[in-house]
mmCIF file of all heavy atoms in Angstrom:
data_model
loop_
_atom_site.group_PDB
_atom_site.id
_atom_site.type_symbol
_atom_site.label_atom_id
_atom_site.label_comp_id
_atom_site.label_asym_id
_atom_site.label_seq_id
_atom_site.Cartn_x
_atom_site.Cartn_y
_atom_site.Cartn_z
ATOM 1 N N LEU K 237 -17.352 96.188 -203.836
ATOM 2 C CA LEU K 237 -17.888 97.559 -203.885
ATOM 3 C C LEU K 237 -19.332 97.478 -204.139
ATOM 4 O O LEU K 237 -20.110 98.422 -203.638
ATOM 5 C CB LEU K 237 -17.195 98.342 -204.910
ATOM 6 C CG LEU K 237 -15.675 98.628 -204.693
ATOM 7 C CD1 LEU K 237 -15.102 99.269 -205.813
ATOM 8 C CD2 LEU K 237 -15.443 99.330 -203.404
ATOM 9 N N ASP K 238 -19.883 96.594 -204.960
ATOM 10 C CA ASP K 238 -21.281 96.626 -205.364
ATOM 11 C C ASP K 238 -22.124 95.870 -204.218
ATOM 12 O O ASP K 238 -22.519 94.719 -204.316
ATOM 13 C CB ASP K 238 -21.423 95.759 -206.683
ATOM 14 C CG ASP K 238 -22.881 95.759 -207.256
ATOM 15 O OD1 ASP K 238 -23.741 96.574 -206.820
ATOM 16 O OD2 ASP K 238 -23.164 94.897 -208.023
ATOM 17 N N ARG K 239 -22.436 96.644 -203.205
ATOM 18 C CA ARG K 239 -22.942 96.122 -202.007
ATOM 19 C C ARG K 239 -24.371 95.476 -202.242
ATOM 20 O O ARG K 239 -24.727 94.469 -201.486
ATOM 21 C CB ARG K 239 -22.972 97.202 -200.952
ATOM 22 C CG ARG K 239 -21.632 97.506 -200.494
ATOM 23 C CD ARG K 239 -21.603 98.685 -199.526
ATOM 24 N NE ARG K 239 -20.243 98.987 -199.260
ATOM 25 C CZ ARG K 239 -19.878 99.604 -198.120
ATOM 26 N NH1 ARG K 239 -20.758 99.982 -197.268
ATOM 27 N NH2 ARG K 239 -18.704 99.816 -197.862
ATOM 28 N N ASP K 240 -25.113 95.973 -203.133
ATOM 29 C CA ASP K 240 -26.440 95.406 -203.391
ATOM 30 C C ASP K 240 -26.428 94.349 -204.492
ATOM 31 O O ASP K 240 -27.484 93.741 -204.821
ATOM 32 C CB ASP K 240 -27.508 96.383 -203.584
ATOM 33 C CG ASP K 240 -27.329 97.194 -204.847
ATOM 34 O OD1 ASP K 240 -26.329 96.980 -205.589
ATOM 35 O OD2 ASP K 240 -28.104 98.088 -205.204
ATOM 36 N N HIS K 241 -25.294 94.040 -205.035
ATOM 37 C CA HIS K 241 -25.109 93.060 -206.047
ATOM 38 C C HIS K 241 -26.035 93.190 -207.286
ATOM 39 O O HIS K 241 -26.431 92.218 -207.788
ATOM 40 C CB HIS K 241 -25.149 91.624 -205.458
ATOM 41 C CG HIS K 241 -24.297 91.531 -204.277
ATOM 42 N ND1 HIS K 241 -22.902 91.487 -204.345
ATOM 43 C CD2 HIS K 241 -24.634 91.436 -202.983
ATOM 44 C CE1 HIS K 241 -22.397 91.389 -203.157
ATOM 45 N NE2 HIS K 241 -23.392 91.388 -202.279
ATOM 46 N N ASP K 242 -26.196 94.467 -207.728
ATOM 47 C CA ASP K 242 -27.069 94.753 -208.843
ATOM 48 C C ASP K 242 -26.201 94.801 -210.135
ATOM 49 O O ASP K 242 -26.812 95.106 -211.181
ATOM 50 C CB ASP K 242 -27.989 95.911 -208.670
ATOM 51 C CG ASP K 242 -27.213 97.211 -208.550
ATOM 52 O OD1 ASP K 242 -25.997 97.177 -208.568
ATOM 53 O OD2 ASP K 242 -27.886 98.296 -208.605
ATOM 54 N N GLY K 243 -24.944 94.711 -210.019
ATOM 55 C CA GLY K 243 -24.104 94.759 -211.244
ATOM 56 C C GLY K 243 -23.710 96.186 -211.622
ATOM 57 O O GLY K 243 -23.233 96.383 -212.644
ATOM 58 N N ALA K 244 -23.965 97.207 -210.749
ATOM 59 C CA ALA K 244 -23.606 98.562 -210.978
ATOM 60 C C ALA K 244 -23.168 99.220 -209.741
ATOM 61 O O ALA K 244 -23.800 98.875 -208.644
ATOM 62 C CB ALA K 244 -24.817 99.310 -211.687
ATOM 63 N N LEU K 245 -22.373 100.211 -209.801
ATOM 64 C CA LEU K 245 -22.074 101.032 -208.529
ATOM 65 C C LEU K 245 -22.853 102.189 -208.549
ATOM 66 O O LEU K 245 -22.809 103.024 -209.385
ATOM 67 C CB LEU K 245 -20.548 101.385 -208.585
ATOM 68 C CG LEU K 245 -19.554 100.203 -208.455
ATOM 69 C CD1 LEU K 245 -18.158 100.712 -208.476
ATOM 70 C CD2 LEU K 245 -19.783 99.466 -207.164
ATOM 71 N N ARG K 246 -23.781 102.237 -207.524
ATOM 72 C CA ARG K 246 -24.573 103.539 -207.330
ATOM 73 C C ARG K 246 -23.749 104.513 -206.538
ATOM 74 O O ARG K 246 -22.658 104.239 -206.019
ATOM 75 C CB ARG K 246 -25.775 103.199 -206.428
ATOM 76 C CG ARG K 246 -26.842 102.331 -207.187
ATOM 77 C CD ARG K 246 -28.024 102.156 -206.322
ATOM 78 N NE ARG K 246 -27.851 102.188 -204.926
ATOM 79 C CZ ARG K 246 -27.478 101.140 -204.162
ATOM 80 N NH1 ARG K 246 -27.441 100.023 -204.669
ATOM 81 N NH2 ARG K 246 -27.302 101.304 -202.818
ATOM 82 N N GLU K 247 -24.158 105.821 -206.530
ATOM 83 C CA GLU K 247 -23.406 106.836 -205.847
ATOM 84 C C GLU K 247 -23.110 106.514 -204.463
ATOM 85 O O GLU K 247 -22.023 106.742 -203.945
ATOM 86 C CB GLU K 247 -24.180 108.130 -205.977
ATOM 87 C CG GLU K 247 -23.440 109.311 -205.383
ATOM 88 C CD GLU K 247 -24.174 110.628 -205.470
ATOM 89 O OE1 GLU K 247 -25.381 110.616 -205.990
ATOM 90 O OE2 GLU K 247 -23.643 111.639 -205.205
ATOM 91 N N ASP K 248 -24.125 105.930 -203.738
ATOM 92 C CA ASP K 248 -23.895 105.626 -202.266
ATOM 93 C C ASP K 248 -22.803 104.571 -202.013
ATOM 94 O O ASP K 248 -21.995 104.616 -201.076
ATOM 95 C CB ASP K 248 -25.211 105.309 -201.636
ATOM 96 C CG ASP K 248 -25.831 104.120 -202.128
ATOM 97 O OD1 ASP K 248 -25.902 103.884 -203.332
ATOM 98 O OD2 ASP K 248 -26.325 103.298 -201.314
ATOM 99 N N GLU K 249 -22.799 103.605 -203.023
ATOM 100 C CA GLU K 249 -21.680 102.602 -202.898
ATOM 101 C C GLU K 249 -20.365 103.110 -203.200
ATOM 102 O O GLU K 249 -19.355 102.824 -202.601
ATOM 103 C CB GLU K 249 -22.051 101.480 -203.948
ATOM 104 C CG GLU K 249 -23.302 100.602 -203.564
ATOM 105 C CD GLU K 249 -23.710 99.759 -204.698
ATOM 106 O OE1 GLU K 249 -23.640 100.116 -205.879
ATOM 107 O OE2 GLU K 249 -24.222 98.703 -204.317
ATOM 108 N N PHE K 250 -20.336 104.100 -204.270
ATOM 109 C CA PHE K 250 -19.080 104.746 -204.563
ATOM 110 C C PHE K 250 -18.600 105.576 -203.393
ATOM 111 O O PHE K 250 -17.425 105.452 -202.994
ATOM 112 C CB PHE K 250 -19.380 105.533 -205.839
ATOM 113 C CG PHE K 250 -18.060 106.283 -206.257
ATOM 114 C CD1 PHE K 250 -17.094 105.635 -207.039
ATOM 115 C CD2 PHE K 250 -17.958 107.678 -206.064
ATOM 116 C CE1 PHE K 250 -16.022 106.348 -207.441
ATOM 117 C CE2 PHE K 250 -16.850 108.299 -206.468
ATOM 118 C CZ PHE K 250 -15.958 107.734 -207.251
ATOM 119 N N VAL K 251 -19.506 106.318 -202.862
ATOM 120 C CA VAL K 251 -19.096 107.269 -201.736
ATOM 121 C C VAL K 251 -18.678 106.390 -200.530
ATOM 122 O O VAL K 251 -17.614 106.752 -199.888
ATOM 123 C CB VAL K 251 -20.197 108.207 -201.434
ATOM 124 C CG1 VAL K 251 -20.014 108.905 -200.065
ATOM 125 C CG2 VAL K 251 -20.545 109.163 -202.526
ATOM 126 N N ALA K 252 -19.384 105.321 -200.282
ATOM 127 C CA ALA K 252 -18.960 104.369 -199.045
ATOM 128 C C ALA K 252 -17.627 103.876 -199.271
ATOM 129 O O ALA K 252 -16.798 103.835 -198.330
ATOM 130 C CB ALA K 252 -19.978 103.208 -198.963
ATOM 131 N N ALA K 253 -17.206 103.539 -200.530
ATOM 132 C CA ALA K 253 -15.874 103.003 -200.741
ATOM 133 C C ALA K 253 -14.834 104.081 -200.527
ATOM 134 O O ALA K 253 -13.705 103.863 -199.913
ATOM 135 C CB ALA K 253 -15.812 102.470 -202.186
ATOM 136 N N ARG K 254 -15.142 105.285 -200.952
ATOM 137 C CA ARG K 254 -14.256 106.467 -200.745
ATOM 138 C C ARG K 254 -14.117 106.674 -199.249
ATOM 139 O O ARG K 254 -13.013 106.969 -198.848
ATOM 140 C CB ARG K 254 -14.726 107.668 -201.466
ATOM 141 C CG ARG K 254 -14.590 107.580 -202.955
ATOM 142 C CD ARG K 254 -15.150 108.616 -203.804
ATOM 143 N NE ARG K 254 -14.992 109.985 -203.177
ATOM 144 C CZ ARG K 254 -15.722 111.025 -203.600
ATOM 145 N NH1 ARG K 254 -16.493 110.878 -204.545
ATOM 146 N NH2 ARG K 254 -15.479 112.152 -202.969
ATOM 147 N N LEU K 255 -15.222 106.694 -198.572
ATOM 148 C CA LEU K 255 -15.085 106.942 -197.101
ATOM 149 C C LEU K 255 -14.339 105.890 -196.357
ATOM 150 O O LEU K 255 -13.637 106.189 -195.450
ATOM 151 C CB LEU K 255 -16.521 107.108 -196.544
ATOM 152 C CG LEU K 255 -17.215 108.358 -196.923
ATOM 153 C CD1 LEU K 255 -18.723 108.328 -196.433
ATOM 154 C CD2 LEU K 255 -16.462 109.544 -196.423
ATOM 155 N N GLU K 256 -14.425 104.594 -196.766
ATOM 156 C CA GLU K 256 -13.715 103.539 -196.208
ATOM 157 C C GLU K 256 -12.157 103.792 -196.360
ATOM 158 O O GLU K 256 -11.420 103.666 -195.452
ATOM 159 C CB GLU K 256 -14.034 102.197 -196.766
ATOM 160 C CG GLU K 256 -15.351 101.621 -196.365
ATOM 161 C CD GLU K 256 -15.710 100.447 -197.152
ATOM 162 O OE1 GLU K 256 -14.997 99.835 -197.945
ATOM 163 O OE2 GLU K 256 -16.869 99.896 -197.090
ATOM 164 N N ARG K 257 -11.833 104.169 -197.584
ATOM 165 C CA ARG K 257 -10.404 104.435 -197.926
ATOM 166 C C ARG K 257 -9.938 105.638 -197.028
ATOM 167 O O ARG K 257 -8.785 105.697 -196.508
ATOM 168 C CB ARG K 257 -10.165 104.726 -199.334
ATOM 169 C CG ARG K 257 -10.380 103.578 -200.211
ATOM 170 C CD ARG K 257 -10.351 103.817 -201.635
ATOM 171 N NE ARG K 257 -10.660 102.581 -202.377
ATOM 172 C CZ ARG K 257 -9.875 102.076 -203.383
ATOM 173 N NH1 ARG K 257 -8.725 102.713 -203.537
ATOM 174 N NH2 ARG K 257 -10.141 101.013 -203.826
ATOM 175 N N PHE K 258 -10.715 106.722 -196.917
ATOM 176 C CA PHE K 258 -10.433 107.821 -196.230
ATOM 177 C C PHE K 258 -10.148 107.443 -194.717
ATOM 178 O O PHE K 258 -9.184 107.790 -194.100
ATOM 179 C CB PHE K 258 -11.476 108.950 -196.282
ATOM 180 C CG PHE K 258 -11.072 110.252 -195.549
ATOM 181 C CD1 PHE K 258 -10.471 111.291 -196.189
ATOM 182 C CD2 PHE K 258 -11.424 110.301 -194.109
ATOM 183 C CE1 PHE K 258 -10.108 112.442 -195.459
ATOM 184 C CE2 PHE K 258 -11.040 111.436 -193.501
ATOM 185 C CZ PHE K 258 -10.418 112.589 -194.208
ATOM 186 N N SER K 259 -11.172 106.783 -194.088
ATOM 187 C CA SER K 259 -11.097 106.327 -192.737
ATOM 188 C C SER K 259 -9.825 105.363 -192.513
ATOM 189 O O SER K 259 -9.239 105.555 -191.432
ATOM 190 C CB SER K 259 -12.280 105.604 -192.338
ATOM 191 O OG SER K 259 -13.448 106.427 -192.443
ATOM 192 N N ALA K 260 -9.599 104.572 -193.437
ATOM 193 C CA ALA K 260 -8.343 103.621 -193.318
ATOM 194 C C ALA K 260 -7.125 104.457 -193.204
ATOM 195 O O ALA K 260 -6.105 104.201 -192.531
ATOM 196 C CB ALA K 260 -8.316 102.674 -194.375
ATOM 197 N N ALA K 261 -7.007 105.640 -193.972
ATOM 198 C CA ALA K 261 -5.774 106.433 -193.934
ATOM 199 C C ALA K 261 -5.770 107.426 -192.864
ATOM 200 O O ALA K 261 -4.675 107.782 -192.377
ATOM 201 C CB ALA K 261 -5.702 107.203 -195.290
ATOM 202 N N ASP K 262 -6.901 107.750 -192.229
ATOM 203 C CA ASP K 262 -6.936 108.702 -191.067
ATOM 204 C C ASP K 262 -6.632 107.962 -189.826
ATOM 205 O O ASP K 262 -7.465 107.598 -189.030
ATOM 206 C CB ASP K 262 -8.340 109.246 -191.058
ATOM 207 C CG ASP K 262 -8.568 110.341 -189.961
ATOM 208 O OD1 ASP K 262 -7.462 110.861 -189.480
ATOM 209 O OD2 ASP K 262 -9.761 110.672 -189.612
ATOM 210 N N ALA K 263 -5.271 107.819 -189.540
ATOM 211 C CA ALA K 263 -4.833 106.951 -188.470
ATOM 212 C C ALA K 263 -5.243 107.466 -187.113
ATOM 213 O O ALA K 263 -5.568 106.667 -186.247
ATOM 214 C CB ALA K 263 -3.260 106.971 -188.420
ATOM 215 N N ASP K 264 -5.429 108.785 -186.804
ATOM 216 C CA ASP K 264 -5.812 109.277 -185.548
ATOM 217 C C ASP K 264 -7.347 109.453 -185.471
ATOM 218 O O ASP K 264 -7.794 109.791 -184.415
ATOM 219 C CB ASP K 264 -5.040 110.443 -185.189
ATOM 220 C CG ASP K 264 -5.277 111.608 -186.149
ATOM 221 O OD1 ASP K 264 -6.113 111.596 -187.083
ATOM 222 O OD2 ASP K 264 -4.606 112.643 -185.981
ATOM 223 N N GLY K 265 -8.081 109.219 -186.473
ATOM 224 C CA GLY K 265 -9.548 109.370 -186.495
ATOM 225 C C GLY K 265 -10.026 110.725 -186.243
ATOM 226 O O GLY K 265 -11.191 110.852 -185.887
ATOM 227 N N ASP K 266 -9.267 111.830 -186.596
ATOM 228 C CA ASP K 266 -9.787 113.111 -186.431
ATOM 229 C C ASP K 266 -10.525 113.717 -187.634
ATOM 230 O O ASP K 266 -10.949 114.941 -187.569
ATOM 231 C CB ASP K 266 -8.589 114.119 -186.002
ATOM 232 C CG ASP K 266 -7.559 114.313 -187.229
ATOM 233 O OD1 ASP K 266 -7.786 113.629 -188.320
ATOM 234 O OD2 ASP K 266 -6.688 115.103 -187.041
ATOM 235 N N GLY K 267 -10.756 112.906 -188.680
ATOM 236 C CA GLY K 267 -11.506 113.356 -189.833
ATOM 237 C C GLY K 267 -10.734 114.197 -190.733
ATOM 238 O O GLY K 267 -11.251 114.828 -191.644
ATOM 239 N N LYS K 268 -9.413 114.248 -190.547
ATOM 240 C CA LYS K 268 -8.457 114.930 -191.471
ATOM 241 C C LYS K 268 -7.325 113.964 -191.842
ATOM 242 O O LYS K 268 -6.945 113.217 -191.034
ATOM 243 C CB LYS K 268 -7.917 116.161 -190.827
ATOM 244 C CG LYS K 268 -8.923 117.269 -190.453
ATOM 245 C CD LYS K 268 -8.348 118.456 -189.788
ATOM 246 C CE LYS K 268 -8.363 118.261 -188.246
ATOM 247 N NZ LYS K 268 -7.824 119.466 -187.647
ATOM 248 N N LEU K 269 -6.787 114.221 -193.053
ATOM 249 C CA LEU K 269 -5.663 113.455 -193.466
ATOM 250 C C LEU K 269 -4.339 114.409 -193.497
ATOM 251 O O LEU K 269 -4.437 115.534 -194.217
ATOM 252 C CB LEU K 269 -5.805 112.882 -194.886
ATOM 253 C CG LEU K 269 -6.822 111.754 -195.034
ATOM 254 C CD1 LEU K 269 -6.928 111.318 -196.477
ATOM 255 C CD2 LEU K 269 -6.469 110.582 -194.012
ATOM 256 N N THR K 270 -3.451 114.058 -192.801
ATOM 257 C CA THR K 270 -2.158 114.855 -192.738
ATOM 258 C C THR K 270 -1.250 114.172 -193.788
ATOM 259 O O THR K 270 -1.328 113.011 -194.178
ATOM 260 C CB THR K 270 -1.524 114.841 -191.278
ATOM 261 O OG1 THR K 270 -1.165 113.422 -191.032
ATOM 262 C CG2 THR K 270 -2.461 115.277 -190.297
ATOM 263 N N ARG K 271 -0.092 114.992 -194.049
ATOM 264 C CA ARG K 271 0.939 114.431 -194.939
ATOM 265 C C ARG K 271 1.543 113.133 -194.291
ATOM 266 O O ARG K 271 1.756 112.176 -194.985
ATOM 267 C CB ARG K 271 1.955 115.488 -195.222
ATOM 268 C CG ARG K 271 1.541 116.481 -196.164
ATOM 269 C CD ARG K 271 2.776 117.365 -196.510
ATOM 270 N NE ARG K 271 2.362 118.249 -197.554
ATOM 271 C CZ ARG K 271 2.476 119.615 -197.389
ATOM 272 N NH1 ARG K 271 2.952 120.146 -196.331
ATOM 273 N NH2 ARG K 271 2.046 120.382 -198.353
ATOM 274 N N ALA K 272 1.759 113.139 -192.998
ATOM 275 C CA ALA K 272 2.350 112.077 -192.279
ATOM 276 C C ALA K 272 1.357 110.790 -192.477
ATOM 277 O O ALA K 272 1.875 109.727 -192.633
ATOM 278 C CB ALA K 272 2.549 112.372 -190.779
ATOM 279 N N GLU K 273 0.077 111.029 -192.288
ATOM 280 C CA GLU K 273 -0.867 109.854 -192.473
ATOM 281 C C GLU K 273 -0.855 109.381 -193.922
ATOM 282 O O GLU K 273 -0.827 108.098 -194.163
ATOM 283 C CB GLU K 273 -2.234 110.283 -192.043
ATOM 284 C CG GLU K 273 -2.434 110.417 -190.632
ATOM 285 C CD GLU K 273 -3.734 111.155 -190.278
ATOM 286 O OE1 GLU K 273 -4.217 112.003 -190.952
ATOM 287 O OE2 GLU K 273 -4.340 110.733 -189.162
ATOM 288 N N LEU K 274 -0.754 110.236 -194.956
ATOM 289 C CA LEU K 274 -0.696 109.788 -196.323
ATOM 290 C C LEU K 274 0.610 109.036 -196.567
ATOM 291 O O LEU K 274 0.652 108.054 -197.259
ATOM 292 C CB LEU K 274 -0.849 110.908 -197.154
ATOM 293 C CG LEU K 274 -2.230 111.598 -197.294
ATOM 294 C CD1 LEU K 274 -2.217 112.856 -198.074
ATOM 295 C CD2 LEU K 274 -3.222 110.659 -197.767
ATOM 296 N N ARG K 275 1.780 109.483 -196.007
ATOM 297 C CA ARG K 275 3.053 108.837 -196.176
ATOM 298 C C ARG K 275 3.029 107.463 -195.569
ATOM 299 O O ARG K 275 3.389 106.508 -196.116
ATOM 300 C CB ARG K 275 4.146 109.665 -195.494
ATOM 301 C CG ARG K 275 4.724 110.718 -196.470
ATOM 302 C CD ARG K 275 6.040 111.277 -196.003
ATOM 303 N NE ARG K 275 5.921 111.938 -194.706
ATOM 304 C CZ ARG K 275 5.539 113.133 -194.441
ATOM 305 N NH1 ARG K 275 5.380 114.021 -195.400
ATOM 306 N NH2 ARG K 275 5.581 113.578 -193.161
ATOM 307 N N GLN K 276 2.373 107.348 -194.388
ATOM 308 C CA GLN K 276 2.252 106.103 -193.603
ATOM 309 C C GLN K 276 1.401 105.145 -194.476
ATOM 310 O O GLN K 276 1.812 104.036 -194.514
ATOM 311 C CB GLN K 276 1.613 106.360 -192.216
ATOM 312 C CG GLN K 276 1.364 105.077 -191.427
ATOM 313 C CD GLN K 276 0.670 105.449 -190.064
ATOM 314 O OE1 GLN K 276 0.437 106.542 -189.723
ATOM 315 N NE2 GLN K 276 0.367 104.387 -189.418
ATOM 316 N N ARG K 277 0.398 105.632 -194.977
ATOM 317 C CA ARG K 277 -0.494 104.788 -195.821
ATOM 318 C C ARG K 277 0.150 104.231 -197.099
ATOM 319 O O ARG K 277 0.028 103.048 -197.499
ATOM 320 C CB ARG K 277 -1.770 105.496 -196.143
ATOM 321 C CG ARG K 277 -2.911 104.652 -196.573
ATOM 322 C CD ARG K 277 -3.344 103.760 -195.408
ATOM 323 N NE ARG K 277 -4.309 102.828 -195.769
ATOM 324 C CZ ARG K 277 -4.624 101.767 -195.113
ATOM 325 N NH1 ARG K 277 -3.880 101.412 -194.069
ATOM 326 N NH2 ARG K 277 -5.444 100.900 -195.617
#
């Protein structure tokens, strides 16, 4: 998660990790998470 390896998570690193998780769950890539996508994940 610490992309710049400074020993701390900055806001942009934190947000990037959250967006990766969201994108991984968004199976159809429409920018929304449905109950079905959450169940699948």
Side-chain angles (χ1 to χ4, degrees):
L237 295 174
D238 183 18
R239 294 177 180 201
D240 65 1
H241 309 289
D242 67 352
L245 292 179
R246 291 185 332 272
E247 182 178 8
D248 62 317
E249 292 168 324
F250 180 78
V251 170
R254 288 175 36 194
L255 290 174
E256 286 173 10
R257 290 173 184 238
F258 183 93
S259 295
D262 184 16
D264 61 8
D266 68 353
K268 298 182 263 183
L269 292 179
T270 64
R271 284 190 178 122
E273 288 169 324
L274 291 175
R275 279 193 300 270
Q276 177 182 354
R277 200 66 185 157

